Amino acid sequence: MSIQIKLFANLADAIGKRSGTIEYSNGMTVISLWEEFTGRSTIPDGVLCAVNFDYAEHDQALNDGDEIAFFPPVTGG
């Protein structure tokens, strides 16, 4: 199976993709998925991620069928 990926707002613009899929492989983490999907070795500072709608750390292990979302830093007032 595969993992679904979604990127939001200016983060999607910077990467040039809003969504996609990656084939799951054993030992995959949020950061390794990011590297494979974007071709970039690090997740930018402040970027949040969610695994199956729950916020997650970048070193979290992934499972087949997960959905991962990346959000840019948000400010407001």
Side-chain angles (χ1 to χ4, degrees):
M1 281 185 59
S2 61
I3 295 177
Q4 300 293 317
I5 303 125
K6 296 182 179 180
L7 291 95
F8 292 91
N10 63 344
L11 184 58
D13 295 336
I15 300 301
K17 309 179 202 184
R18 295 208 173 278
S19 64
T21 59
I22 295 242
E23 288 301 311
Y24 172 77
S25 61
N26 286 331
M28 186 174 271
T29 64
V30 170
I31 189 68
S32 67
L33 175 133
W34 172 269
E35 291 171 352
E36 186 175 339
F37 187 69
T38 67
R40 299 175 184 202
S41 61
T42 58
I43 298 175
D45 289 339
V47 169
L48 300 173
C49 73
V51 176
N52 301 322
F53 305 103
D54 291 322
Y55 285 113
E57 297 297 322
H58 295 168
D59 62 351
Q60 180 170 323
L62 299 176
N63 296 300
D64 195 16
D66 281 347
E67 180 179 282
I68 314 305
F70 293 97
F71 305 90
V74 178
T75 60

